Structures are given as structure tokens and as C-alpha cells.
Amino acid sequence: MEALKNFGKCPIIFLAVFALLASTLLSLANAKVHEHEFVIQATPVKRLCNTHSAITVNGQLPGPTLEVNNGDTLIVKVINKARYNVTIHWHGVRQIRTGWSDGPEFVTQCPIRPGDSYTYRFTIQGQEGTLWWHAHSSWLRATVYGALIIRPREGQGYPFPKPKRETPIILAEWWDANPIDVLRQAQQTGAAPNISDAYTINGQPGDLYKCSTKETTIVPIDSGETNLLRVINAGLNQPLFFSVANHKLIVVGADASYLKPFTTSVIMLGPGQTTDVLITGDQPPSRYYMAARAYQSAQNAPFDNTTTTAILDYKSAPCPAKGTLAPKPLMPLLPAYNDTNTVTAFSRSFRSPRRVDAPAEIDENLFFTIGLGLNNCPPNFSKNQCQGPNGTRFTASMNNVSFVLPNSISILQAHHLGVPGVFTTDFPVQPPVKFDYTGNVSRSLWQPVAGTKVAKIRYGSRVQIVLQDTSIVTPENHPIHLHGYDFYIVAEGFGNFDPKKDSSKFNLVDPPMRNTVAVPVNGWAVIRFVADNPGAWIMHCHLDVHIGWGLATVLLVDNGEGLLESIEPPPEDLPLC
Ligand code: C2O
């Protein structure tokens, strides 16, 4: 009563509080629950003149697009009718307190065995834009992937003029083979896996490949209207440039966080990353190619040098005269495959739309080297098993630890149940040996140690991680993805990170927020976040070839205080190994 009386004295404050409460309640009431069924199954898929039995979701490639609003809950029952183990990861979804639904196999769950099922349940909290989902088991995500579109809460709008259309543009890689066999062969030989045979846009390679013209992806637009392209790099191993002939792209978001809009003619996405761009039909009505091809920063490494296309098609384009063919669409100019300058200019344009609360002080200061390695041929191995450079086997590591997944229980389950012997908590949070990371590294540092080592992080701590590329074997732009969190990228640069010199350049005012950072080749990136989500969160290079070699670790964030700072109990149907 007393409080109400006081409110009576300040009608404006009262009204404001009331309006805020009402709108929160309204949007909570509007939050929806979306139920889906994902059937994992072998499906005949024809690409590049051949038909393969590909693992798909519900027979679709790409799989179903999920469309939700911020605040909604997703319940997805995954039924495994394929002959492989599978899990699904909701890439970029924070999974606050619901780490059991994150998906990476042997990290947060045992895989779903053939014939079994598991239901993922999670709520989108405070994220808007484009995310995606993919298998997180072996190389199944080559064909098991799809878009996850998160619109603003009901009644709220975009921070940019509402586009007339929205189109997901999912870039991916296609092997004219079974990707699981490609991986197996590489594991046997110790060499790099075969490169892909095509890139695809929404599942289709496009006009520049054999037997692919008829099914080319068509993206509609009309004169004067704007289309929001939600571009996703679902490729397994290749960072990609993307561009549209004669059209400017206005970048408005990435990884389900908004950005200060900026205009560019080309974007680059590492695998795992998403970028939302607006495109306006301001060119003569016709047909224009949109195209993607490799950004390749590793040296002396073979890569898929093909180009995938889709067609931006003006609805008002004049029909070709009778008996003539439609004119060939215009092709965009894409950067050279090794054009790191374009990548740098692009990533340095990223800003949050407004001032953000990036942690200014930090409690945990971590420094992770990321890079490849070569193991000498073990004595009991044959020559055929050591077909890496000079009779070695490829490997990769973070801080000289080559990550090995457990195989009898997941890390999160083992942590929750107190099962010993599954992992150790001695992941070095600083490089065990300091060296000139981007220089000519002594061969004695090329062989990491293997282990299931995790780093413990105290709940609520403000964390900084310096990600430092090494030039071991080759420097390379690594897309580093952290599960369970979005982070601010406060700086990036080339050479060795120098805390004295480089800390002064940190952007703590409006740094971009992401879930995957493309760490510059021969360089470094610094990320910051608050560890406010308990769970076992894998951090890994999103080039699948590097995950298999061990370029990963797990951040184990303990519960905080009370229920709201603790992970929920494990679901009853959580798979057992
Ligand atoms: Cu998109 Cu651990 O993955």
C-alpha cells in the first residue's frame, strides 16, 4: 500500500514500470513452443551426375529450416533410423542451464545409437538473427544441417527497415563419395582427407558443375524491394567468400547478434559463422549470379578450388524472346583464394550497434595457441598408416594438447555423476612452452601430447582468451567456435600477441559479439565473456578436419549459487553409451 502511495506521487515512473511489466508479461505469454521431429535416415541424393545414399533429416538436403521468435522454446525429437551414431548441435544457441541439449557427442551426451531417439529441449534467450543446426558426430554434418532463424519477439521489429523477403543462403561442401568413408580413409593413412568435389548453395552446386544446371537455386527479388539474405557457412572444412554480381551487401548481423550496418561487395565466412546481409533490387531487372568460393590461407595444402552459384532473379526481368535462350547471368568478382587483405578489411568493419557491456576487468586470463602438428610414425605402424608429410601423421592441438574425446560416457555426464577417469582438469591455460608462434618453429615442438584435458572455469568469472595461431606445419585462419556462449571479439592482429602493446588497442566500447571467431592467419584474436552458463562447453576449430586431429578443448563451468545458476537435471531419455 505504502509503495502504491509512493507510486501515486510519481505517476510517470508508475506508468513506465507498468508498461515495462505489461510488455514483458505479454511477450512471455506470446512465447511459443515449437515441436519438431527429425528423422535421421539414408536418402538417395543425386548431385554431380551421381547418386549417393546420403544421411539426411526427414529426407531433405539441406534439412528443415526452423523458424522461431526470441523467447520461444524448441522441442526436437531426433529419431535415428540411420546406420551411424548421431547427435544434433544447435550451433550458437546459448543453452542456458540446458547443456544436456547442446549435442556434441561425448562432450554433453552419448551419441544416439541407430534405432534410438533423444529429445532436445531448449529456449532461445536474448538471441536474434541467424543460427543453424548440424550433426556433431564424425563427419555427418556434411549432409545433416539446416538453418535456425530467430526473429525478434512478437510485436518487436528489426533494428533496420523490414525487408520484403528473407532467404536463407546455406553454403556447404559436397563429396562425390560417402563423407564418413573419406574421414575413415584419412584416419587410416594419417594424411589429410580428400577435398570436397563441390560447394553448394541451399544444397545445389549450380551452373558451373556438371549435371547441376537444372536444379540451380533461384533467389527471388523484385525491383526496389529488399531481401534479407541469411548466409550460413555450413561447409566442413573451407572458409568461403560470398558475393552477388552488381549488388552491394549491407551487413546487419552475424551469429545471431546485430551489427552496426556496413556496406561491402564481398563477405567471408569461416565454417560455423553466419552473416545477415540486406540486398536491394536496384539494378536493371535481369538475372545475377551469387557465388561462393574458397578463402584458403593454409600453404601448400590442396583445396577445392571450384565455385558454387545461385541466381538472383528479378521477377520483373523481361522474358527472353521466343526461340532464344535467357542471357547468361552476370558473374560477381570474387577475391583471389589467398586474399587475406580483403578478409582483414571485412572483419575489422564489425561493430556492435551500440555501447556494450564487454567485461572491462578480467578474472581469468587465458592464452591458447592453436595450430597443426605432425606426429612421427609410431613404431608399430606400417608405412601406409603414415602418409602425412615425410612419413608422419597429421595432428593438431591447443596449447600443445591434442584433444581426445572420451568414448564410454560424456564429459558432462561424468562430471555430473562424479565418474572418475574420464577426463583430467589440467588443461594448460597458458602455453606450456613459449616460443615465436608465428616464426620458424623448431621441429621439437611439432608433436603435441594427446589427452582429454579440460579447463575449469569458476561460475561468473570474467574470462579473456587470447587465441594465437601457430605456424607449425602451416599458419592458417582457424574458425574457433565456443559452445554455450557468445563472446566479444575485442581485438585481432597479426604476428605474436603482445600484451603490452596490443591491450591498448582493445575495443571495449562496441566490439562485435559472435560465437565463432575467424582467427587471422599467422595472427591472433582476443575474446571476452562472462562465464554465466554452467556446463561442459567444447571450444574447437570448426574445420572438421582439425577437430578430428585434436584442435579442441573443453571449458568446464561449475554451477553458481542456487537453482538459477545451476544446470538443470539431465533429461530421462539422455542416451547412455
Ligand atoms: Cu557448429 Cu561444435 O559446432
Side-chain angles (χ1 to χ4, degrees):
M1 230 33 218
E2 197 51 31
L4 269 185
K5 257 188 236 153
N6 283 338
F7 267 130
K9 287 183 200 139
C10 315
I12 296 193
I13 297 184
F14 177 74
L15 276 180
V17 171
F18 180 77
L20 195 74
L21 264 174
S23 80
T24 313
L25 283 177
L26 209 69
S27 59
L28 281 180
N30 277 340
K32 292 178 291 298
V33 176
H34 306 256
E35 292 194 45
H36 294 275
E37 215 166 74
F38 275 19
V39 179
I40 314 290
Q41 59 189 76
T43 308
V45 175
K46 183 167 175 253
R47 297 288 185 276
L48 308 179
C49 320
N50 298 316
T51 300
H52 292 278
S53 166
I55 305 299
T56 67
V57 169
N58 302 349
Q60 295 167 239
L61 183 64
T65 296
L66 305 182
E67 299 185 58
V68 304
N69 295 93
N70 186 3
D72 288 358
T73 294
L74 274 152
I75 300 180
V76 186
K77 180 171 188 185
V78 176
I79 303 163
N80 187 1
K81 292 195 177 157
R83 61 190 172 104
Y84 302 110
N85 289 338
V86 74
T87 66
I88 301 289
H89 168 53
W90 315 92
H91 179 113
V93 173
R94 287 216 49 205
Q95 300 288 2
I96 294 167
R97 302 182 54 228
T98 52
W100 306 106
S101 285
D102 191 39
E105 76 172 354
F106 298 116
V107 179
T108 61
Q109 67 167 99
C110 293
I112 308 167
R113 307 278 171 197
D116 287 351
S117 71
Y118 177 50
T119 301
Y120 295 85
R121 296 164 192 272
F122 54 91
T123 299
I124 307 293
Q125 299 186 53
Q127 301 186 285
E128 291 178 18
T130 306
L131 294 176
W132 60 300
W133 54 265
H134 61 78
H136 212 299
S137 177
S138 181
W139 269 23
L140 283 182
R141 78 172 180 85
T143 53
V144 176
Y145 62 85
L148 168 54
I149 293 171
I150 311 169
R151 300 212 168 79
R153 287 175 187 275
E154 205 119 339
Q156 298 184 4
Y158 296 121
F160 43 84
K162 189 175 190 304
K164 183 77 189 302
R165 292 167 198 278
E166 301 185 8
T167 314
I169 301 287
I170 315 180
L171 314 175
E173 281 178 88
W174 174 260
W175 275 262
D176 207 4
N178 178 349
I180 303 296
D181 293 341
V182 175
L183 173 63
R184 263 193 208 136
Q185 189 200 0
Q187 285 166 338
Q188 272 156 20
T189 63
N194 291 343
I195 55 173
S196 54
D197 296 292
Y199 300 113
T200 57
I201 298 178
N202 294 351
Q204 292 298 336
D207 290 354
L208 306 186
Y209 298 88
K210 54 190 178 177
C211 311
S212 304
T213 299
K214 250 182 41 224
E215 287 87 9
T216 293
T217 296
I218 305 290
V219 178
I221 197 158
D222 211 348
S223 292
E225 73 178 33
T226 299
N227 193 338
L228 171 61
L229 306 182
R230 300 172 175 274
V231 190
I232 300 167
N233 186 350
L236 237 59
N237 296 323
Q238 193 63 57
L240 294 166
F241 287 117
F242 172 83
S243 184
V244 184
N246 282 23
H247 289 74
K248 290 267 178 265
L249 308 172
I250 303 175
V251 178
V252 293
D255 295 2
S257 291
Y258 293 117
L259 293 169
K260 195 167 284 172
F262 66 94
T263 303
T264 177
S265 60
V266 60
I267 64 175
M268 193 288 286
L269 302 95
Q273 295 186 309
T274 75
T275 305
D276 288 356
V277 300
L278 295 171
I279 180 171
T280 300
D282 56 6
Q283 294 298 307
S286 180
R287 294 167 1 123
Y288 300 85
Y289 275 128
M290 51 180 70
R293 76 170 180 213
Y295 165 50
Q296 173 73 1
S297 56
Q299 284 157 19
N300 306 319
F303 66 98
D304 178 348
N305 199 12
T306 62
T307 304
T308 181
T309 55
I311 296 172
L312 183 72
D313 189 17
Y314 279 68
K315 291 194 305 166
S316 51
C319 290
K322 239 198 172 146
T324 64
L325 289 173
K328 247 191 157 317
L330 224 61
M331 192 65 189
L333 249 164
L334 283 155
Y337 73 88
N338 57 359
D339 187 351
T340 293
N341 288 341
T342 291
V343 175
T344 309
F346 174 62
S347 68
R348 292 195 176 166
S349 307
F350 279 55
R351 297 273 183 286
S352 275
R354 56 188 66 85
R355 277 192 85 94
V356 298
D357 50 354
E361 307 286 315
I362 50 172
D363 307 305
E364 305 274 357
N365 189 3
L366 319 182
F367 188 112
F368 295 177
T369 61
I370 53 175
L372 303 188
L374 293 176
N375 280 332
N376 294 336
C377 198
N380 53 336
F381 274 46
S382 73
K383 237 178 125 192
N384 293 336
Q385 294 170 287
C386 297
Q387 295 185 42
N390 306 316
T392 59
R393 291 177 62 85
F394 272 106
T395 180
S397 66
M398 278 189 174
N399 274 353
N400 206 42
V401 179
S402 182
F403 188 75
V404 181
L405 285 170
N407 55 26
S408 60
I409 188 170
S410 75
I411 290 174
L412 188 57
Q413 283 165 299
H415 177 60
H416 191 77
L417 299 170
V419 179
V422 177
F423 60 87
T424 55
T425 55
D426 56 347
F427 180 81
V429 297
Q430 298 290 328
V433 184
K434 300 214 183 339
F435 57 95
D436 177 5
Y437 308 110
T438 51
N440 196 352
V441 184
S442 144
R443 279 307 282 239
S444 64
L445 292 166
W446 285 35
Q447 290 199 77
V449 297
T452 309
K453 295 180 189 291
V454 312
K456 276 205 133 194
I457 308 275
R458 207 171 35 77
Y459 181 92
S461 51
R462 297 160 296 180
V463 183
Q464 167 172 300
I465 308 180
V466 178
L467 296 160
Q468 171 72 59
D469 187 28
T470 77
S471 51
I472 297 173
V473 184
T474 173
E476 184 164 8
N477 182 303
H478 295 278
I480 302 293
H481 172 48
L482 174 60
H483 288 217
Y485 288 92
D486 283 326
F487 48 73
Y488 291 110
I489 304 174
V490 300
E492 60 171 59
F494 291 101
N496 296 324
F497 175 74
D498 177 345
K500 281 199 204 75
K501 197 171 98 249
D502 294 323
S503 307
S504 62
K505 292 180 216 138
F506 285 2
N507 175 8
L508 300 175
V509 177
D510 58 358
M513 183 179 251
R514 300 206 77 155
N515 62 53
T516 306
V517 53
V519 179
V521 51
N522 243 318
W524 49 269
V526 182
I527 64 170
R528 287 190 179 190
F529 60 95
V530 178
D532 59 0
N533 190 15
W537 306 111
I538 187 168
M539 179 182 217
H540 63 85
C541 179
H542 217 286
L543 309 179
D544 272 20
V545 47
H546 293 177
I547 308 183
W549 290 341
L551 217 174
T553 188
V554 164
L555 305 185
L556 191 59
V557 181
D558 257 322
N559 286 336
E561 277 173 41
L563 219 57
L564 291 180
E565 296 184 354
S566 301
I567 189 165
E568 291 178 0
E572 247 150 56
D573 60 341
L574 189 67
L576 300 174
C577 292

